[in-house]
Amino acid sequence: MPAKRSPARRPTMKDIAQRAGVSESAVSFALNDRPGVSEITRDRVRRVAEQLGWRPSTAARQLSGEGTATVGLVLARPADTLGVDSFFLQLISGIQEVLAERHLGLLFQVVEDVDDECAVYRRWWAEHRVDGVLVVDPRTDDARPGLLDELGLPAVVIGGAPDARHPGLSTVWADDAGAMASVVGRLYELGHRRIVHIAGLPGLAHTERRIRTLRAEADRRGLAEVCSVTTDYSDAEGAAVTRRVLEGGVLGGGATPTALVYDNDVMAVAGVAAATELGFSVPGDVSVVAWEDSALCRMVKPWLSALSRDTVAFGRTAAAELTSLLDGGPARAVGVPVPGLIERDSTGPCGACGA
């Protein structure tokens, strides 16, 4: 049997002190930006630390009260829907860019529901596992902001509207209402009067904002045959709901819509395939709009019209707000640009107006 390999020895402050020819206390002062050493000594210590590959111990930081150098993100969504959701991949990419610049780690966990998510926050807080958290998928009736306020855990809510009830939490929000209004307005200009919104998870704040805005825009324009149907964001449900809608099972009197608006790109692609299987032409019989633009929207025929935003920048903004809180900055509400509609081949003038 081969001998068990010993783990590599990590460099210590004592190693740095011996190499730099100074005391261990001088090394501590230099590496922690504290007074007590000259700038020449501070620079020499830092160069030696870099040469040796020294990094501060997270455990030591916790014991000294300096934090964990880690932030948390919990996602309460079906795990099997994450691999195909480009929004979260891009969001986390932007978050990671900022955290990497600050040498902060990201602790990520997927749970079944919001109750489990709250339990994770309580455990992380009790165990000093994270310095702050990024909160996604705000709910219409959400227990998380109150809990985080109570725990005093720095947090940024991504996608929620500013909330005066929790002034200690920062918010990075997008104008979903404005985006939905622009989509409905454009479809109306193209002659569409029967519009179905194939939405995401019910209870999410942004889902409800989009649903409310669709209803308000329909009422304002006198459109009676407009509705929303919620799903789990998956391609399977996107296709299933599309079939039900186009077979006359949603609008009154067995009517079929002339335009479909999907809450993500995956459902839109699946919806186009389902519509084609049923003999519907896109956009001849039904126009299609996807909420999130991605490469997927340009890998199908016809190319999908989509709402486009810089999701990576969205993630960077959220992470920057959290690091600001960790640095002692004030909580803020920060808006990001309204997603803009990019028209491609999947939308066109209504071919069934008056039918």
Side-chain angles (χ1 to χ4, degrees):
M1 293 289 290
K4 185 177 180 181
R5 186 176 180 182
S6 299
R9 180 177 172 276
R10 295 182 178 88
T12 66
M13 285 192 178
K14 183 176 181 180
D15 297 326
I16 298 171
Q18 290 175 346
R19 176 76 68 88
V22 298
S23 67
E24 288 184 52
S25 59
V27 171
S28 177
F29 292 151
L31 294 179
N32 289 293
D33 279 328
R34 293 174 180 163
V37 294
S38 69
E39 285 305 313
I40 294 175
T41 299
R42 195 183 307 276
D43 290 342
R44 183 166 74 250
V45 167
R46 287 175 174 172
R47 285 198 305 271
V48 170
E50 186 67 29
Q51 291 166 4
L52 294 177
W54 177 87
R55 293 292 181 270
S57 163
T58 299
R61 287 172 59 88
Q62 287 180 258
L63 289 173
S64 66
E66 294 180 12
T68 66
T70 302
V71 301
L73 192 158
V74 184
L75 190 59
R77 274 199 188 188
D80 58 0
T81 66
L82 299 183
V84 294
D85 195 328
S86 63
F87 172 80
F88 273 108
L89 296 177
Q90 294 179 61
L91 183 75
I92 291 174
S93 176
I95 289 169
Q96 190 58 39
E97 282 186 25
V98 173
L99 298 185
E101 292 171 359
R102 293 285 298 265
H103 305 293
L104 295 172
L106 179 65
L107 183 57
F108 179 67
Q109 189 163 341
V110 179
V111 296
E112 288 293 322
D113 53 36
V114 171
D115 287 342
D116 288 343
E117 183 175 343
C118 288
V120 170
Y121 293 146
R122 290 189 184 95
R123 185 172 69 251
W124 283 353
W125 172 80
E127 296 174 355
H128 304 280
R129 294 287 299 278
V130 298
D131 296 329
V133 295
L134 295 158
V135 181
V136 296
D137 286 344
R139 265 65 176 180
T140 51
D141 184 16
D142 205 330
R144 295 171 298 173
L147 171 63
L148 293 168
D149 251 353
E150 176 188 330
L151 297 177
L153 196 57
V156 174
V157 180
I158 301 175
D163 189 347
R165 295 172 301 171
H166 305 288
L169 306 184
S170 285
T171 302
V172 177
W173 64 285
D175 186 3
D176 293 287
M180 176 60 86
S182 71
V183 171
V184 176
R186 180 55 183 152
L187 291 174
Y188 186 86
E189 288 175 357
L190 291 171
H192 296 279
R193 302 295 183 264
R194 300 196 297 272
I195 304 169
V196 172
H197 168 214
I198 299 180
L201 289 167
L204 297 185
H206 65 261
T207 301
E208 298 303 324
R209 283 197 298 269
R210 295 172 192 179
I211 290 173
R212 285 197 306 270
T213 302
L214 178 68
R215 289 173 180 162
E217 291 297 309
D219 290 344
R220 189 166 71 86
R221 291 178 167 84
L223 306 180
E225 297 177 301
V226 172
C227 72
S228 297
V229 183
T230 55
T231 70
D232 66 358
Y233 285 110
S234 70
D235 57 332
E237 282 210 16
V241 171
T242 300
R243 293 189 192 96
R244 180 154 58 93
V245 166
L246 293 180
E247 288 171 347
V250 172
L251 295 178
T256 59
T258 64
L260 299 172
V261 180
Y262 293 85
D263 261 4
N264 70 11
D265 51 348
V266 173
M267 291 198 298
V269 170
V272 169
T276 302
E277 289 172 4
L278 292 174
F280 286 80
S281 167
V282 178
D285 298 317
V286 60
S287 285
V288 169
V289 176
W291 198 273
E292 296 292 342
D293 191 24
S294 72
L296 194 59
C297 294
R298 302 182 298 281
M299 295 173 67
V300 295
K301 287 192 177 295
W303 282 18
L304 299 183
S305 297
L307 282 161
S308 177
R309 60 179 164 187
D310 190 343
T311 307
V312 174
F314 199 6
R316 284 196 298 264
T317 301
E321 288 303 309
L322 182 56
T323 59
S324 175
L325 287 178
L326 298 181
D327 290 339
R332 304 193 307 162
V334 179
V336 297
V338 179
L341 179 62
I342 297 178
E343 293 190 57
R344 300 192 180 104
D345 299 336
S346 69
T347 52
C350 177
C353 292

